[in-house]
Amino acid sequence: MLRFILIPILLSTFLVLGCSNKPTNINVNISKPTPVPAPSVIKNGEYPGKGKITKINIELGSVEMDHEEIKGVMPAMRMEFYVTDKKMLDRVTLGDNVDFTLLYKDGTEIINSIKKAQ
């Protein structure tokens, strides 16, 4: 019998407490989200670049450099690139400022010419 009296009392207490106008700590942001630009598609082709050599690996045929933005391909950064011909690396030394051409093809990047900047 007591069970039949307590259940309605408990249910109505929970209902009253659940519907109270107490402020909550939930922070709801109803502003519009900032649109994120879609990534641009890089087209296959040759792109000119400028950089400063920070490492040369003759055995691997790669050169690491701090390069400026390569427009249409990537922002300025330090990055290692492979070269199409290891002999190109004989013409540059660590610390050189260089002009280069980056060949971009189907998601891969490789340097196909590099020379000391004038």
Side-chain angles (χ1 to χ4, degrees):
M1 178 83 164
L2 184 60
R3 181 171 41 172
F4 294 113
I5 296 172
L6 282 177
I7 290 177
I9 292 173
L10 288 173
L11 285 176
S12 53
T13 304
F14 289 130
L15 184 62
V16 170
L17 291 176
C19 293
S20 69
N21 288 331
K22 292 181 183 178
T24 63
N25 290 333
I26 298 173
N27 184 9
V28 177
N29 185 357
I30 57 173
S31 65
K32 293 182 180 178
T34 304
V36 177
S40 62
V41 177
I42 303 171
K43 295 180 182 176
N44 288 343
E46 293 184 334
Y47 295 85
K50 295 181 180 290
K52 183 172 185 172
I53 295 179
T54 56
K55 184 172 96 176
I56 298 173
N57 189 326
I58 302 278
E59 290 177 24
L60 283 178
S62 69
V63 60
E64 179 187 87
M65 66 179 106
D66 287 325
H67 65 80
E68 297 175 6
E69 175 186 9
I70 303 171
K71 292 190 187 290
V73 181
M74 67 183 71
M77 67 177 79
R78 179 176 286 187
M79 186 170 173
E80 182 176 18
F81 296 99
Y82 289 97
V83 295
T84 54
D85 184 357
K86 293 179 185 181
K87 291 178 185 176
M88 286 190 286
L89 299 177
D90 294 337
R91 298 181 290 227
V92 294
T93 58
L94 192 64
D96 281 350
N97 289 312
V98 294
D99 295 318
F100 62 92
T101 303
L102 181 76
L103 175 62
Y104 181 90
K105 185 171 181 189
D106 301 327
T108 62
E109 300 126 358
I110 193 163
I111 292 179
N112 63 3
S113 74
I114 189 168
K115 63 181 180 177
K116 290 183 186 183
Q118 299 297 326

